[in-house]
Amino acid sequence: MPDHGLKVALERLGLKQTELAELLSVSPRTVSLWATGAAALPGPVAAYLRVVQSLAPAQLSLELGRLDGRQRMLDEGIYSLNYRAEIAGQADADDGLAVLRNGRILGSDRWGGVFTGSYLFDPATTSNTVHIRMQIPPGGRLISGYTAGPKGSTLDFVASLERAAPVSTTVVDVAGQPVEVQLTYLGPLPN
């Protein structure tokens, strides 16, 4: 599809270049390069546009409806995590780093705790459900006051998070204690 074909497709669909970028999870600059002809429109993108233009109105509405939800989805990238809890009147805090990519989460805190998990956007509730499994090293202690034994420990968490744009906050239960978790988007993953 030549560059003028992209412009025509966008006009027919009533989309802006930035909205196409959101649908395809590419940068607005990439779409701009396609639109001006400075970069060739990839074959799969041209095929997607042909399919979308051929959809019945109800199907087209569903496909374009992804734009509304996309604004609330967690972005792939690098995030800082800050945890805060109050135990027996004493405030405690810690931090970690996480990478989100393709629905998977990988991260660690500075004390050797490692966590893996998944995240999934639910368009019906427009929220992100996050599942985490944290491996606590032998003798490790969480800010909730929970201490792992000599063999370490594993804890599972489930939370609902809004898109971190740039910050999202939630409270999770960690071994019976409420812990405030702040997720801050730092930037995209390197290629």
Side-chain angles (χ1 to χ4, degrees), residues 41-66:
L41 186 65
V45 173
Y48 170 77
L49 289 170
R50 284 191 301 273
V51 169
V52 170
Q53 290 179 84
S54 70
L55 293 175
Q59 292 171 312
L60 179 60
S61 178
L62 282 174
E63 179 64 14
L64 298 182
R66 293 190 314 124

Side-chain angles (χ1 to χ4, degrees), residues 55-78:
L55 293 175
Q59 292 171 312
L60 179 60
S61 178
L62 282 174
E63 179 64 14
L64 298 182
R66 293 190 314 124
L67 284 171
D68 293 333
R70 177 70 186 104
Q71 295 174 0
R72 303 206 47 180
M73 292 172 72
L74 289 171
D75 290 319
E76 290 190 350
I78 302 170

Side-chain angles (χ1 to χ4, degrees), residues 52-190:
V52 170
Q53 290 179 84
S54 70
L55 293 175
Q59 292 171 312
L60 179 60
S61 178
L62 282 174
E63 179 64 14
L64 298 182
R66 293 190 314 124
L67 284 171
D68 293 333
R70 177 70 186 104
Q71 295 174 0
R72 303 206 47 180
M73 292 172 72
L74 289 171
D75 290 319
E76 290 190 350
I78 302 170
Y79 290 81
S80 72
L81 299 166
N82 295 290
Y83 319 98
R84 185 184 171 308
E86 191 168 313
I87 308 298
Q90 298 273 12
D92 197 0
D94 204 349
D95 55 47
L97 196 68
V99 173
L100 279 67
R101 175 179 239 151
N102 296 327
R104 307 297 305 159
I105 300 171
L106 176 63
S108 68
D109 66 21
R110 63 181 159 150
W111 303 110
V114 175
F115 52 91
T116 59
S118 63
Y119 61 98
L120 180 65
F121 178 73
D122 180 356
T125 62
T126 65
S127 66
N128 300 279
T129 301
V130 177
H131 295 261
I132 298 287
R133 172 162 281 183
M134 183 157 196
Q135 300 293 127
I136 304 158
R141 186 184 76 79
L142 296 177
I143 64 169
S144 66
Y146 174 84
T147 303
K151 294 183 180 181
S153 186
T154 301
L155 291 174
D156 292 313
F157 307 96
V158 177
S160 179
L161 283 166
E162 297 297 321
R163 179 177 187 215
V167 177
S168 179
T169 303
T170 192
V171 175
V172 296
D173 180 286
V174 178
Q177 293 293 325
V179 175
E180 182 180 289
V181 179
Q182 187 177 69
L183 182 69
T184 304
Y185 180 73
L186 298 176
L189 296 168

